[in-house]
Amino acid sequence: MMAPTTDNAGNTGDAAAARASLEALRAEIAKAVVGQDPAVTGLVVALLCRGHVLLEGVPGVAKTLLVRALASALDLDTKRVQFTPDLMPSDVTGSLVYDTRTAEFSFQPGPVFTNLLLADEINRTPPKTQSSLLEAMEERQVTVDGTPRPLPDPFLVAATQNPVEYEGTYPLPEAQLDRFLLKLTIPLPSRQDEIDVLTRHAEGFNPRDLHSAGLRPVAGPADLEAARAAVAKTSISPEITAYVVDICRATRESPSLTLGASPRGATALLATARAWAWLTGRDYVIPDDVKALALPTLRHRVQLRPEAEMEGVTADSVIQSILAHVPVPR
């Protein structure tokens, strides 16, 4: 592998230190969360790409704990919103409040004004409230009474949702799904992981007190900024770009899908593959990087035909089939 080239040695050192700090996240978060390394990696990739993450899994698999542990290990401000059927858009974005002392309206920021917003069970609230996040996710600002108000940087929405067949859930609109960079599925733990979880609880672990679990900040906003600068210098060959385009075009031509990945999906796949390449220690992207991020980047951007769904076909299986058939650049 060629040595990374930079304008000065300090930039190289900053990038190496940032990579080491982000790699330490996995071990730090493992103090609170057992067996969710792929989800941790996905959240880090999203932060590097300035994207957002949708976490899907049944209740009780530590989705909320994972996001809280990430914020603690990164020393980021975090807020949580429990999405319920009666939640209003202003409960997320904030609103104008009349001050009787000054006889004026003043803006009271909502919980969206944070670094890491945990939108818990986002699909339990109606589409009107779900859509209140669209501007924040895309433009990184909130407009109230015609005045745009910028959100802090870094800013990431980590939304958790229950599987759509669960009672009392509302499917997310396609436009909002497309705003999420990654959709990560949180599986039930293996037998050994579940034993480890119960053992920790028996020994006094309190998921509401991460400090007592020994969790401490191992990286911060400066590390993220240095890492983002290094990711932006990771080279992408024309062959890799064409490979990403061919994969996304194949989703639009698949007989099992009514909706394929858009050009925004192709851009997202290129960005996530680039971040993954840098995290693994390379300054260039290879086809395996694209394959590694194809499922979490594309699974929520495609839509199955009803007849395919009835036959047991899944979005993941369609994408895996496409990866197996699209020619890989040499």
Side-chain angles (χ1 to χ4, degrees), residues 187-200:
L188 288 166
S190 66
R191 180 176 183 273
Q192 186 55 54
D193 285 344
E194 196 163 0
I195 290 173
D196 291 344
V197 170
L198 266 63
T199 300
R200 291 187 182 190

Side-chain angles (χ1 to χ4, degrees), residues 9 23 50 53 104 127 135 143 164 188 213 230 243 249 254 264:
E23 287 174 350
R50 301 179 189 272
V53 176
E104 294 180 349
E135 182 186 15
T143 302
V164 293
L188 288 166
Y243 182 51
R249 291 181 68 85
S254 171
R264 179 187 286 148

Side-chain angles (χ1 to χ4, degrees), residues 30 57 129 191 236 273:
T129 303
R191 180 176 183 273
I236 304 170

Side-chain angles (χ1 to χ4, degrees), residues 62-324:
K63 300 186 296 294
T64 303
L65 179 60
L66 173 62
V67 175
R68 290 178 51 239
L70 175 70
S72 179
L74 280 173
D75 197 22
L76 295 177
D77 180 48
T78 182
K79 292 178 183 174
R80 175 179 177 271
V81 178
Q82 181 66 49
F83 280 70
T84 57
D86 60 349
L87 192 75
M88 299 297 291
S90 59
D91 295 330
V92 178
T93 62
S95 59
L96 293 176
V97 177
Y98 184 73
D99 189 336
T100 56
R101 293 172 298 178
T102 62
E104 294 180 349
F105 284 93
S106 61
F107 178 67
Q108 296 297 317
V112 74
F113 287 86
T114 187
N115 296 124
L116 203 162
L117 176 68
L118 174 57
D120 215 356
E121 295 189 303
I122 189 174
N123 62 335
R124 287 201 182 277
T125 197
K128 179 180 180 180
T129 303
Q130 292 174 2
S131 65
S132 66
L133 281 175
L134 284 177
E135 182 186 15
M137 293 170 67
E138 187 69 17
E139 306 296 336
R140 303 192 177 259
Q141 67 177 25
V142 168
T143 302
V144 177
D145 196 35
T147 303
R149 294 173 169 85
L151 296 171
D153 184 48
F155 172 70
L156 178 142
V157 174
T160 71
Q161 71 169 10
N162 296 315
V164 293
E165 64 270 15
Y166 270 55
E167 185 176 353
T169 61
Y170 300 82
L172 295 178
E174 287 78 5
Q176 186 171 356
L177 279 173
D178 205 36
R179 296 307 196 280
F180 285 101
L181 181 72
L182 299 172
K183 179 182 177 182
L184 305 175
T185 55
I186 310 298
L188 288 166
S190 66
R191 180 176 183 273
Q192 186 55 54
D193 285 344
E194 196 163 0
I195 290 173
D196 291 344
V197 170
L198 266 63
T199 300
R200 291 187 182 190
H201 280 265
E203 293 173 350
F205 171 70
N206 182 1
R208 295 172 184 80
D209 185 5
L210 296 179
H211 182 73
S212 67
L215 215 67
R216 60 183 180 83
V218 295
D223 295 303
L224 282 176
E225 198 58 42
R228 287 169 174 173
V231 169
K233 296 177 183 177
T234 302
S235 64
I236 304 170
S237 69
E239 292 79 12
I240 292 294
T241 302
Y243 182 51
V244 170
V245 169
D246 290 342
I247 290 171
C248 291
R249 291 181 68 85
T251 65
R252 302 168 205 161
E253 299 165 1
S254 171
S256 298
L257 301 176
T258 59
L259 178 69
S262 67
R264 179 187 286 148
T267 302
L269 181 53
L270 196 65
T272 56
R274 198 180 203 182
W276 175 246
W278 180 81
L279 279 172
T280 54
R282 278 179 282 101
D283 61 352
Y284 56 92
V285 180
I286 62 175
D288 283 349
D289 299 324
V290 178
K291 290 181 178 180
L293 273 297
L295 284 179
T297 306
L298 300 180
R299 60 164 58 109
H300 56 298
R301 304 175 193 272
V302 300
Q303 194 171 85
L304 288 168
R305 292 187 181 277
E307 55 269 26
E309 198 166 4
M310 291 177 63
E311 294 172 0
V313 176
T314 65
D316 283 14
S317 65
V318 173
I319 295 169
Q320 287 169 338
S321 177
I322 288 171
L323 292 175

